[in-house]
Amino acid sequence: MLFFTEYCWGEFFNYSLQISQNVLNIVHPATEALKRIAIMVRMETSTAKPTVNRQAHWNFGNPHGNAVSLEEFLAQQEAAGFSFFEGKEPWLKGIHELSWQTFFRVCTEEMDDLSQKAVKLVIEYCLGILNESAKKIRGRVSLARLEDALNAQYDEQYDNKVYQYRWALRHPVVKEAITKALANRFPAC
């Protein structure tokens, strides 16, 4: 009888080790504490405003001219007469950078209700897509090879980043910013 009881407990112990990690995470109090800490860190980083200009290596000025930051470029667009949307933007609440999940919360079909802040987010997102695509290219990155990489990744699906990139280029300020940034990064001569 003792052997049978030990065998049953042994089998139970082996079975409990095979339970999925998700179930063990829920049961173990130390893991619960770590989960709470991770959630707090995620909340803290998602609400923190970025402090570093992530697009420092992009130039939005004319090729072979003075370097222009994204903020300066957007101010120039406004000074040149482009009118950004100035109403309330509840869809931007809590968004400090775009992702493929939040892209269509900001970029509507008409693309006519983008504020200067929203346009900046869209341009930064597009530059991030270009950076990701450039990292996938083996060897020297050129404009032609970057375009080929984007074409290879394209799929007409809402969650496809290259589809979203092309969607964003329908906005005139986004298109001009990306065009200037690419012209400066990959000069023709």
Side-chain angles (χ1 to χ4, degrees):
M1 182 74 161
L2 183 61
F3 174 75
F4 179 74
T5 307
E6 288 175 356
Y7 175 77
C8 289
W9 278 110
E11 285 300 309
F12 174 76
F13 180 75
N14 287 337
Y15 174 74
S16 65
L17 288 177
Q18 295 172 359
I19 296 175
S20 73
Q21 186 65 27
N22 292 338
V23 173
L24 289 176
N25 284 345
I26 294 170
V27 175
H28 199 277
T31 311
E32 285 298 308
L34 289 175
K35 275 184 180 175
R36 285 193 298 272
I37 292 170
I39 290 170
M40 287 188 298
V41 167
R42 251 185 270 137
M43 287 173 46
E44 191 67 34
T45 57
S46 68
T47 58
K49 294 193 179 205
T51 56
V52 179
N53 183 2
R54 287 169 266 141
Q55 310 323 334
H57 65 280
W58 293 100
N59 176 11
F60 300 94
N62 292 324
H64 309 295
N66 293 333
V68 175
S69 70
L70 179 55
E71 292 79 11
E72 293 169 333
F73 171 78
L74 293 172
Q76 289 173 358
Q77 293 296 310
E78 192 168 32
F82 186 85
S83 59
F84 293 100
F85 180 75
E86 294 183 7
K88 292 187 178 190
E89 300 173 301
W91 54 88
L92 281 181
K93 185 176 182 181
I95 296 180
H96 300 290
E97 71 177 10
L98 291 185
S99 66
W100 66 269
Q101 296 103 331
T102 59
F103 179 81
F104 285 106
R105 277 180 57 189
V106 177
C107 294
T108 61
E109 187 172 346
E110 299 83 20
M111 297 283 285
D112 62 350
D113 57 352
L114 294 180
S115 65
Q116 190 170 350
K117 176 185 176 185
V119 169
K120 181 181 177 191
L121 291 173
V122 172
I123 292 170
E124 288 175 343
Y125 179 63
C126 290
L127 295 175
I129 293 170
L130 291 172
N131 282 333
E132 285 178 28
S133 296
K135 287 178 185 176
K136 295 177 183 177
I137 297 173
R138 292 184 183 186
R140 187 167 183 246
V141 178
S142 67
L143 185 56
R145 293 185 75 197
L146 184 59
E147 288 173 355
D148 289 342
L150 289 170
N151 289 337
Q153 297 172 42
Y154 180 78
D155 186 21
E156 197 167 318
Q157 301 290 326
Y158 285 117
D159 61 349
N160 181 274
K161 287 184 176 184
V162 179
Y163 178 76
Q164 294 174 349
Y165 167 80
R166 290 186 178 163
W167 184 285
L169 289 181
R170 295 172 33 226
H171 191 277
V173 175
V174 174
K175 185 175 184 173
E176 186 175 345
I178 297 299
T179 302
K180 285 187 173 191
L182 288 172
N184 284 310
R185 184 160 177 194
F186 304 105
C189 33

